[in-house]
Amino acid sequence: MAETARAMSQMGLVTGASGNVSTRLAPSDSEEPLLAITPMATSYATMEADDIVVTDFDIEPVEGELMPSSESMLHVAIYQARPDVGAVIHTHSVYSSVLAVSGLDIPPVLDEVVVNIGGPIRVSEYGFPSSEALAQNVTAALGDRKAAIIANHGAVGVGRDLEEALEICALVERVSEIFVHATALGQIIHLPPEAVEAETAIYRMRNSDIGGVE
Ligand SMILES: [Zn+2]
């Protein structure tokens, strides 16, 4: 996890201690679900394994010295809504933040986005940082896809594991940058509907365990 957090920082997806990374810890049947999450206000560039905090889904710390990320509620809301998700990464990457400020959803404009993220990338309704409203609004914007933009704030990407979640976050930033530039050029050509349909079918086939959200 510390490695993913450092990678996220090196890739320019966050600055300083902004953004956060978590992974679901597979509980045995008798145990309550837990997550491991990056701590509040700790620079990612130098993050070590000992800095990671383990909490339950009420965000009560179970292990670790530091305070869990202030956006822990967002991570828990996503794990509760999406049993297929094993890792969540929240970034403040620049181009997705441009769209977060503009309130523009990213329509299906690149093949790889539909196949890997599952369709358009929606901008959530606004929620105050660290609030339950933010957690619920972003989970709603995520739906059954793998990324969403957080209104006036940043982005979130999810995956089966940390590696996939990080790849998704990098892809979100890439398509955001492309979409911002294409919007500035004044012309956006959407993928043909039949391509979107075929690519969405591939996404659903690869992710057949995604629950019935939206
Ligand atoms: Zn944030």
Side-chain angles (χ1 to χ4, degrees):
M1 275 194 65
E3 209 174 286
T4 304
R6 286 195 301 268
M8 169 177 83
S9 173
Q10 279 157 10
M11 288 159 80
L13 297 174
V14 292
T15 52
S18 69
N20 26 72
V21 177
S22 78
T23 186
R24 189 200 294 268
L25 300 177
S28 67
D29 288 345
S30 57
E31 285 172 347
E32 57 181 337
L34 300 173
L35 69 154
I37 190 158
T38 47
M40 204 182 275
T42 307
S43 173
Y44 294 112
T46 55
M47 186 161 289
E48 300 292 344
D50 282 350
D51 297 330
I52 305 300
V53 188
V54 175
T55 81
D56 63 19
F57 277 19
D58 295 322
I59 317 174
E60 294 295 331
V62 173
E63 213 180 298
E65 301 291 311
L66 301 173
M67 291 284 285
S69 159
S70 57
E71 291 298 356
S72 295
M73 259 199 283
L74 168 63
H75 293 248
V76 168
I78 293 173
Y79 290 128
Q80 285 175 328
R82 291 279 301 273
D84 60 297
V85 169
V88 175
I89 299 180
H90 160 46
T91 71
H92 286 182
S93 55
V94 173
Y95 282 95
S96 28
S97 299
V98 171
L99 298 172
V101 167
S102 304
L104 290 175
D105 292 346
I106 307 176
V109 287
L110 286 180
D111 296 299
E112 60 175 331
V113 171
V114 183
V115 170
N116 292 299
I117 293 179
I121 304 174
R122 300 237 160 91
V123 182
S124 74
E125 295 289 317
Y126 180 77
F128 195 77
S130 312
S131 70
E132 180 65 29
L134 182 144
Q136 294 309 323
N137 292 345
V138 175
T139 303
L142 184 66
D144 58 5
R145 294 170 300 277
K146 296 210 176 184
I149 293 172
I150 308 173
N152 304 89
H153 187 145
V156 68
V158 305
R160 288 178 194 288
D161 51 27
L162 289 165
E163 194 185 356
E164 187 186 13
L166 187 62
E167 277 170 16
I168 294 289
C169 288
L171 179 57
V172 169
E173 182 58 5
R174 199 175 99 77
V175 67
S176 296
E177 182 170 0
I178 290 165
F179 185 63
V180 165
H181 288 311
T183 303
L185 290 178
Q187 175 164 295
I188 303 283
I189 298 174
H190 290 216
L191 286 164
E194 56 275 19
V196 175
E197 202 176 307
E199 287 158 2
T200 305
I202 294 170
Y203 174 80
R204 291 193 184 286
M205 197 177 66
R206 286 185 188 163
N207 299 281
S208 55
D209 55 338
I210 292 181
V213 201
E214 198 191 14

Coordinates of all heavy atoms in Angstrom, one line a residue, residues 92-173:
H92 N -6.2 13.8 -6.6 CA -6.5 15.2 -6.9 C -5.8 15.6 -8.2 O -5.3 16.6 -8.3 CB -6.0 16.1 -5.8 CG -6.8 16.1 -4.5 ND1 -6.5 16.8 -3.4 CD2 -7.9 15.3 -4.1 CE1 -7.4 16.6 -2.4 NE2 -8.2 15.7 -2.9
S93 N -5.8 14.6 -9.1 CA -5.1 14.9 -10.4 C -5.7 16.1 -11.2 O -6.9 16.3 -11.1 CB -5.1 13.6 -11.2 OG -6.3 13.1 -11.5
V94 N -4.8 16.7 -11.9 CA -5.2 18.1 -12.4 C -6.3 18.1 -13.4 O -7.3 18.8 -13.2 CB -3.9 18.8 -13.0 CG1 -4.3 20.1 -13.7 CG2 -2.9 19.0 -11.9
Y95 N -6.2 17.2 -14.4 CA -7.3 17.3 -15.5 C -8.6 16.8 -15.0 O -9.7 17.3 -15.4 CB -6.8 16.6 -16.8 CG -5.8 17.5 -17.5 CD1 -4.4 17.3 -17.4 CD2 -6.3 18.5 -18.4 CE1 -3.5 18.1 -18.1 CE2 -5.4 19.3 -19.1 CZ -4.0 19.1 -18.9 OH -3.1 20.0 -19.6
S96 N -8.6 15.8 -14.2 CA -9.9 15.3 -13.7 C -10.5 16.4 -12.7 O -11.7 16.6 -12.7 CB -9.9 14.0 -13.0 OG -8.7 13.7 -12.5
S97 N -9.6 17.2 -12.1 CA -10.1 18.3 -11.3 C -10.6 19.4 -12.1 O -11.6 20.1 -11.7 CB -9.0 18.8 -10.3 OG -8.6 17.7 -9.5
V98 N -10.1 19.6 -13.3 CA -10.7 20.6 -14.2 C -12.1 20.2 -14.5 O -13.0 21.1 -14.5 CB -9.8 20.7 -15.6 CG1 -10.6 21.5 -16.6 CG2 -8.4 21.2 -15.3
L99 N -12.3 18.9 -14.8 CA -13.7 18.5 -15.1 C -14.6 18.5 -13.9 O -15.8 18.8 -13.9 CB -13.7 17.1 -15.7 CG -12.9 17.0 -17.0 CD1 -12.8 15.6 -17.5 CD2 -13.6 17.8 -18.1
A100 N -14.0 18.3 -12.7 CA -14.7 18.4 -11.4 C -15.2 19.8 -11.2 O -16.3 20.0 -10.6 CB -13.8 18.0 -10.3
V101 N -14.4 20.8 -11.7 CA -14.8 22.2 -11.5 C -15.8 22.6 -12.6 O -16.7 23.3 -12.4 CB -13.5 23.1 -11.6 CG1 -13.9 24.5 -11.8 CG2 -12.7 22.9 -10.4
S102 N -15.6 22.0 -13.8 CA -16.5 22.3 -14.9 C -17.9 21.6 -14.9 O -18.8 22.0 -15.5 CB -15.9 22.0 -16.3 OG -14.6 22.6 -16.4
G103 N -17.9 20.5 -14.1 CA -19.1 19.7 -14.0 C -19.4 18.9 -15.2 O -20.6 18.6 -15.5
L104 N -18.4 18.6 -16.0 CA -18.6 17.9 -17.3 C -18.3 16.4 -17.1 O -17.1 16.0 -16.8 CB -17.6 18.4 -18.4 CG -17.9 19.8 -18.9 CD1 -16.8 20.2 -19.9 CD2 -19.3 19.9 -19.6
D105 N -19.3 15.5 -17.3 CA -19.0 14.1 -17.4 C -18.2 13.8 -18.6 O -18.2 14.5 -19.6 CB -20.4 13.3 -17.6 CG -21.3 13.4 -16.5 OD1 -20.9 13.8 -15.4 OD2 -22.5 13.0 -16.6
I106 N -17.4 12.7 -18.5 CA -16.6 12.3 -19.7 C -17.4 11.3 -20.5 O -17.6 10.2 -20.0 CB -15.2 11.7 -19.3 CG1 -14.4 12.7 -18.4 CG2 -14.4 11.4 -20.6 CD1 -13.1 12.1 -18.0
P107 N -17.9 11.6 -21.7 CA -18.7 10.7 -22.4 C -17.8 9.6 -23.0 O -16.6 9.7 -22.9 CB -19.3 11.5 -23.5 CG -18.4 12.6 -23.7 CD -17.7 12.9 -22.4
P108 N -18.4 8.5 -23.5 CA -17.6 7.5 -24.1 C -16.9 8.0 -25.4 O -17.5 8.0 -26.4 CB -18.6 6.3 -24.5 CG -19.8 6.7 -23.8 CD -19.8 8.2 -23.6
V109 N -15.6 8.4 -25.2 CA -14.9 8.9 -26.4 C -13.6 8.1 -26.7 O -13.0 8.3 -27.8 CB -14.4 10.4 -26.1 CG1 -15.7 11.3 -26.3 CG2 -13.8 10.6 -24.8
L110 N -13.2 7.2 -25.8 CA -12.0 6.3 -26.1 C -12.4 4.9 -25.8 O -12.9 4.6 -24.7 CB -10.8 6.7 -25.1 CG -10.1 8.0 -25.4 CD1 -8.9 8.1 -24.3 CD2 -9.5 8.0 -26.8
D111 N -12.0 4.0 -26.7 CA -12.4 2.6 -26.5 C -11.9 2.0 -25.2 O -12.6 1.3 -24.5 CB -11.7 1.8 -27.7 CG -12.3 2.2 -29.0 OD1 -13.5 2.0 -29.2 OD2 -11.5 2.6 -29.9
E112 N -10.6 2.3 -24.9 CA -10.0 1.7 -23.7 C -10.7 2.1 -22.4 O -10.7 1.3 -21.4 CB -8.5 2.0 -23.6 CG -8.2 3.5 -23.5 CD -6.8 3.8 -23.2 OE1 -6.1 3.0 -22.6 OE2 -6.3 4.9 -23.7
V113 N -11.4 3.3 -22.4 CA -12.1 3.7 -21.2 C -13.3 2.9 -21.0 O -13.6 2.5 -19.9 CB -12.4 5.2 -21.3 CG1 -13.3 5.7 -20.2 CG2 -11.1 6.0 -21.3
V114 N -14.1 2.7 -22.1 CA -15.3 1.9 -21.9 C -15.0 0.5 -21.5 O -15.6 -0.1 -20.5 CB -16.1 1.9 -23.2 CG1 -17.5 1.2 -23.0 CG2 -16.4 3.3 -23.7
V115 N -14.0 -0.1 -22.1 CA -13.6 -1.5 -21.8 C -13.1 -1.6 -20.3 O -13.5 -2.6 -19.6 CB -12.5 -2.0 -22.7 CG1 -12.0 -3.4 -22.2 CG2 -13.1 -2.2 -24.1
N116 N -12.4 -0.7 -19.8 CA -11.7 -0.8 -18.5 C -12.5 -0.1 -17.4 O -12.4 -0.5 -16.2 CB -10.3 -0.2 -18.6 CG -9.4 -1.1 -19.4 OD1 -9.2 -2.2 -19.1 ND2 -8.9 -0.5 -20.5
I117 N -13.3 0.9 -17.7 CA -14.0 1.7 -16.7 C -15.5 1.4 -16.7 O -16.2 1.5 -15.7 CB -13.7 3.2 -16.8 CG1 -12.2 3.4 -16.4 CG2 -14.5 4.0 -15.9 CD1 -11.6 4.8 -16.4
G118 N -16.0 1.0 -17.9 CA -17.4 0.5 -17.9 C -18.4 1.5 -18.5 O -19.6 1.2 -18.5
G119 N -17.9 2.6 -19.0 CA -18.8 3.6 -19.6 C -18.4 5.0 -19.3 O -17.2 5.3 -19.2
P120 N -19.3 5.9 -19.3 CA -19.0 7.3 -19.1 C -18.4 7.5 -17.7 O -18.7 6.7 -16.8 CB -20.3 8.1 -19.2 CG -21.3 7.1 -19.0 CD -20.8 5.8 -19.4
I121 N -17.6 8.6 -17.5 CA -17.1 8.9 -16.1 C -17.9 10.1 -15.6 O -17.9 11.2 -16.2 CB -15.6 9.2 -16.1 CG1 -14.8 8.0 -16.7 CG2 -15.1 9.5 -14.7 CD1 -13.4 8.2 -16.9
R122 N -18.8 9.8 -14.6 CA -19.7 10.9 -14.2 C -19.1 11.7 -13.1 O -18.4 11.3 -12.2 CB -21.0 10.2 -13.6 CG -21.7 9.3 -14.7 CD -23.1 9.7 -14.9 NE -23.6 9.2 -16.1 CZ -24.2 8.1 -16.3 NH1 -24.4 7.3 -15.2 NH2 -24.6 7.7 -17.5
V123 N -19.6 13.0 -13.1 CA -19.2 13.9 -12.0 C -20.3 13.8 -10.9 O -21.5 13.9 -11.3 CB -19.1 15.4 -12.5 CG1 -18.7 16.3 -11.4 CG2 -18.2 15.5 -13.7
S124 N -19.9 13.7 -9.7 CA -20.8 13.5 -8.6 C -21.6 14.8 -8.3 O -21.1 15.9 -8.7 CB -20.1 13.0 -7.3 OG -19.4 14.1 -6.8
E125 N -22.6 14.7 -7.5 CA -23.2 15.9 -6.9 C -22.2 16.4 -5.8 O -21.4 15.6 -5.3 CB -24.5 15.6 -6.1 CG -25.6 15.1 -7.0 CD -26.2 16.2 -7.9 OE1 -26.4 17.3 -7.3 OE2 -26.4 16.0 -9.1
Y126 N -22.2 17.7 -5.5 CA -21.2 18.2 -4.5 C -21.5 17.6 -3.1 O -22.6 17.4 -2.7 CB -21.3 19.7 -4.4 CG -20.3 20.3 -3.4 CD1 -19.0 20.3 -3.7 CD2 -20.7 20.6 -2.1 CE1 -18.0 20.8 -2.8 CE2 -19.8 21.1 -1.2 CZ -18.5 21.1 -1.5 OH -17.5 21.5 -0.6
G127 N -20.4 17.3 -2.4 CA -20.4 17.0 -1.0 C -19.2 17.6 -0.3 O -18.1 17.6 -0.8
F128 N -19.5 18.1 0.9 CA -18.4 18.7 1.7 C -17.3 17.7 2.0 O -17.6 16.5 2.3 CB -18.9 19.3 3.0 CG -18.0 20.3 3.6 CD1 -17.9 21.6 3.2 CD2 -17.3 19.9 4.7 CE1 -17.0 22.5 3.8 CE2 -16.4 20.8 5.3 CZ -16.2 22.1 4.9
P129 N -16.0 18.1 1.9 CA -14.9 17.1 2.1 C -15.1 16.3 3.5 O -15.5 16.9 4.5 CB -13.7 18.0 2.2 CG -14.0 19.1 1.3 CD -15.5 19.4 1.5
S130 N -14.9 15.0 3.4 CA -14.9 14.1 4.6 C -16.4 13.8 5.0 O -16.5 13.1 6.0 CB -14.1 14.7 5.8 OG -12.9 15.1 5.4
S131 N -17.4 14.3 4.3 CA -18.7 14.2 4.8 C -19.4 12.9 4.3 O -18.9 12.3 3.3 CB -19.6 15.3 4.4 OG -19.8 15.3 3.0
E132 N -20.5 12.5 5.0 CA -21.3 11.3 4.5 C -21.9 11.6 3.2 O -22.0 10.8 2.3 CB -22.3 11.0 5.6 CG -23.3 9.9 5.3 CD -22.6 8.5 5.3 OE1 -21.5 8.4 6.0 OE2 -23.0 7.6 4.5
A133 N -22.3 12.9 3.0 CA -22.9 13.3 1.7 C -21.9 13.1 0.5 O -22.3 12.6 -0.5 CB -23.3 14.8 1.7
L134 N -20.6 13.5 0.7 CA -19.6 13.2 -0.3 C -19.5 11.7 -0.6 O -19.6 11.3 -1.7 CB -18.3 13.8 0.1 CG -17.2 13.6 -1.0 CD1 -16.2 14.8 -1.0 CD2 -16.3 12.4 -0.7
A135 N -19.5 10.9 0.5 CA -19.3 9.5 0.3 C -20.5 8.9 -0.5 O -20.3 8.2 -1.4 CB -19.3 8.8 1.7
Q136 N -21.7 9.3 -0.1 CA -22.9 8.8 -0.8 C -23.0 9.3 -2.3 O -23.3 8.6 -3.2 CB -24.2 9.2 -0.1 CG -24.3 8.5 1.3 CD -24.1 7.0 1.3 OE1 -24.5 6.3 0.3 NE2 -23.4 6.5 2.3
N137 N -22.7 10.6 -2.5 CA -22.8 11.2 -3.8 C -21.8 10.6 -4.8 O -22.1 10.3 -5.9 CB -22.6 12.7 -3.8 CG -23.7 13.4 -3.0 OD1 -24.8 12.9 -2.8 ND2 -23.5 14.7 -2.7
V138 N -20.6 10.3 -4.3 CA -19.6 9.8 -5.1 C -19.9 8.3 -5.4 O -19.7 7.8 -6.6 CB -18.2 10.0 -4.5 CG1 -17.1 9.3 -5.3 CG2 -17.8 11.4 -4.4
T139 N -20.4 7.6 -4.4 CA -20.7 6.2 -4.7 C -21.9 6.1 -5.7 O -21.9 5.2 -6.6 CB -21.2 5.5 -3.3 OG1 -20.1 5.7 -2.4 CG2 -21.4 4.0 -3.5
A140 N -22.8 7.0 -5.7 CA -23.9 7.1 -6.7 C -23.3 7.4 -8.1 O -23.7 6.7 -9.0 CB -24.9 8.1 -6.3
A141 N -22.4 8.3 -8.2 CA -21.8 8.7 -9.5 C -20.9 7.5 -10.0 O -20.9 7.3 -11.2 CB -20.9 9.9 -9.3
L142 N -20.4 6.7 -9.1 CA -19.6 5.6 -9.5 C -20.5 4.5 -10.1 O -20.1 3.9 -11.1 CB -18.8 5.0 -8.3 CG -17.8 3.9 -8.5 CD1 -16.6 4.3 -9.3 CD2 -17.4 3.4 -7.1
G143 N -21.6 4.2 -9.5 CA -22.5 3.2 -10.0 C -21.8 1.9 -10.1 O -21.2 1.4 -9.2
D144 N -21.9 1.2 -11.3 CA -21.3 -0.1 -11.4 C -20.0 0.1 -12.3 O -19.5 -0.9 -12.8 CB -22.2 -1.1 -12.1 CG -22.8 -0.6 -13.4 OD1 -22.3 0.5 -13.9 OD2 -23.6 -1.2 -14.0
R145 N -19.5 1.3 -12.4 CA -18.2 1.5 -13.1 C -17.0 1.6 -12.2 O -17.1 1.3 -11.0 CB -18.4 2.8 -14.0 CG -19.5 2.7 -15.0 CD -19.8 4.0 -15.7 NE -20.3 5.0 -14.7 CZ -21.6 5.0 -14.3 NH1 -22.5 4.2 -14.8 NH2 -22.0 5.9 -13.5
K146 N -15.8 1.9 -12.8 CA -14.6 1.8 -12.0 C -14.0 3.2 -11.6 O -12.9 3.3 -11.1 CB -13.6 0.9 -12.6 CG -14.0 -0.5 -12.7 CD -13.0 -1.5 -12.6 CE -13.6 -2.9 -12.6 NZ -12.7 -4.0 -12.4
A147 N -14.7 4.3 -12.0 CA -14.2 5.6 -11.7 C -15.3 6.6 -11.7 O -16.3 6.4 -12.4 CB -13.1 6.0 -12.7
A148 N -15.1 7.7 -10.9 CA -16.0 8.8 -10.9 C -15.2 10.1 -10.6 O -14.1 10.0 -10.1 CB -17.1 8.6 -9.8
I149 N -15.8 11.2 -11.0 CA -15.1 12.5 -10.7 C -15.9 13.1 -9.5 O -17.1 13.0 -9.4 CB -15.1 13.4 -11.9 CG1 -14.2 12.8 -13.0 CG2 -14.7 14.8 -11.6 CD1 -14.2 13.5 -14.3
I150 N -15.2 13.7 -8.5 CA -15.8 14.2 -7.3 C -16.0 15.7 -7.5 O -14.9 16.4 -7.7 CB -14.9 13.9 -6.1 CG1 -14.6 12.4 -6.0 CG2 -15.6 14.4 -4.8 CD1 -13.6 12.1 -4.9
A151 N -17.2 16.2 -7.5 CA -17.5 17.6 -7.8 C -16.6 18.6 -7.0 O -16.5 18.4 -5.8 CB -19.0 17.9 -7.5
N152 N -16.0 19.5 -7.7 CA -15.1 20.5 -7.1 C -14.1 20.0 -6.2 O -13.7 20.6 -5.2 CB -16.0 21.5 -6.3 CG -17.1 22.1 -7.2 OD1 -18.2 21.6 -7.3 ND2 -16.8 23.2 -7.9
H153 N -13.5 18.8 -6.5 CA -12.6 18.2 -5.6 C -11.5 17.3 -6.3 O -10.3 17.6 -6.2 CB -13.5 17.3 -4.6 CG -12.7 16.8 -3.5 ND1 -13.2 16.6 -2.2 CD2 -11.4 16.2 -3.4 CE1 -12.3 16.1 -1.4 NE2 -11.2 15.8 -2.1
G154 N -11.9 16.3 -7.0 CA -10.9 15.4 -7.6 C -11.5 14.2 -8.2 O -12.6 14.3 -8.9
A155 N -10.9 13.0 -8.0 CA -11.4 11.8 -8.7 C -11.2 10.6 -7.8 O -10.5 10.6 -6.8 CB -10.7 11.6 -10.0
V156 N -11.9 9.5 -8.2 CA -11.8 8.2 -7.4 C -11.7 7.1 -8.5 O -12.5 7.1 -9.5 CB -12.9 8.0 -6.4 CG1 -14.2 7.8 -7.0 CG2 -12.5 6.9 -5.4
G157 N -10.8 6.1 -8.2 CA -10.7 5.0 -9.1 C -10.8 3.7 -8.2 O -10.2 3.8 -7.1
V158 N -11.4 2.7 -8.7 CA -11.5 1.4 -7.9 C -11.0 0.3 -8.7 O -10.9 0.3 -10.0 CB -12.9 1.2 -7.4 CG1 -13.5 2.3 -6.6 CG2 -13.8 0.8 -8.5
G159 N -10.7 -0.8 -8.0 CA -10.2 -2.0 -8.8 C -10.3 -3.2 -7.8 O -10.6 -3.1 -6.7
R160 N -10.0 -4.4 -8.4 CA -10.0 -5.6 -7.6 C -8.9 -5.6 -6.6 O -8.9 -6.1 -5.5 CB -9.8 -6.9 -8.5 CG -10.9 -7.1 -9.3 CD -10.8 -8.3 -10.2 NE -12.0 -8.1 -11.1 CZ -13.2 -8.4 -10.7 NH1 -13.4 -8.9 -9.5 NH2 -14.2 -8.1 -11.5
D161 N -7.7 -4.9 -7.0 CA -6.6 -4.8 -6.2 C -6.0 -3.4 -6.4 O -6.4 -2.6 -7.3 CB -5.6 -5.9 -6.5 CG -5.2 -6.0 -8.0 OD1 -5.3 -5.0 -8.7 OD2 -4.9 -7.1 -8.4
L162 N -4.9 -3.1 -5.6 CA -4.3 -1.8 -5.7 C -3.7 -1.5 -7.1 O -3.8 -0.4 -7.6 CB -3.1 -1.8 -4.6 CG -3.6 -1.7 -3.2 CD1 -2.5 -2.0 -2.2 CD2 -4.2 -0.3 -2.9
E163 N -3.1 -2.6 -7.7 CA -2.5 -2.4 -9.0 C -3.6 -1.9 -10.0 O -3.4 -0.9 -10.8 CB -1.9 -3.7 -9.5 CG -1.0 -3.6 -10.6 CD -0.5 -4.9 -11.1 OE1 -0.8 -6.0 -10.5 OE2 0.2 -4.9 -12.2
E164 N -4.8 -2.6 -10.0 CA -5.8 -2.2 -11.0 C -6.3 -0.8 -10.6 O -6.5 0.1 -11.5 CB -7.0 -3.1 -11.0 CG -8.0 -2.8 -12.1 CD -9.3 -3.6 -12.1 OE1 -9.6 -4.3 -11.1 OE2 -10.0 -3.5 -13.1
A165 N -6.5 -0.5 -9.3 CA -7.1 0.9 -8.9 C -6.1 2.0 -9.4 O -6.5 3.0 -9.9 CB -7.3 0.9 -7.4
L166 N -4.8 1.7 -9.3 CA -3.8 2.7 -9.7 C -3.8 2.9 -11.2 O -3.8 4.0 -11.7 CB -2.4 2.3 -9.2 CG -1.3 3.3 -9.5 CD1 -1.6 4.6 -8.7 CD2 0.1 2.8 -9.0
E167 N -4.0 1.8 -11.9 CA -4.1 1.9 -13.4 C -5.3 2.6 -13.8 O -5.3 3.4 -14.8 CB -4.2 0.4 -14.0 CG -2.8 -0.2 -14.2 CD -2.9 -1.7 -14.6 OE1 -4.0 -2.1 -15.0 OE2 -1.9 -2.4 -14.4
I168 N -6.4 2.4 -13.1 CA -7.7 3.1 -13.4 C -7.5 4.6 -13.2 O -7.9 5.4 -14.0 CB -8.8 2.6 -12.6 CG1 -9.2 1.1 -12.9 CG2 -10.1 3.5 -12.7 CD1 -9.8 0.9 -14.3
C169 N -6.8 5.0 -12.1 CA -6.6 6.4 -11.8 C -5.7 7.1 -12.9 O -6.0 8.2 -13.3 CB -6.0 6.6 -10.4 SG -7.1 6.2 -9.1
A170 N -4.7 6.4 -13.3 CA -3.9 6.9 -14.4 C -4.7 7.1 -15.7 O -4.5 8.1 -16.4 CB -2.7 6.0 -14.6
L171 N -5.5 6.1 -16.0 CA -6.4 6.2 -17.2 C -7.4 7.3 -17.1 O -7.6 8.0 -18.1 CB -7.1 4.8 -17.4 CG -8.0 4.7 -18.6 CD1 -7.3 5.0 -19.9 CD2 -8.6 3.3 -18.7
V172 N -8.0 7.5 -15.9 CA -8.9 8.6 -15.7 C -8.2 9.9 -16.0 O -8.8 10.8 -16.7 CB -9.5 8.6 -14.2 CG1 -10.2 9.9 -14.0 CG2 -10.3 7.4 -14.0
E173 N -7.0 10.1 -15.5 CA -6.3 11.3 -15.7 C -6.0 11.5 -17.2 O -6.1 12.6 -17.8 CB -5.0 11.4 -14.8 CG -4.2 12.7 -15.0 CD -5.0 14.0 -14.6 OE1 -6.2 13.9 -14.2 OE2 -4.5 15.1 -14.8

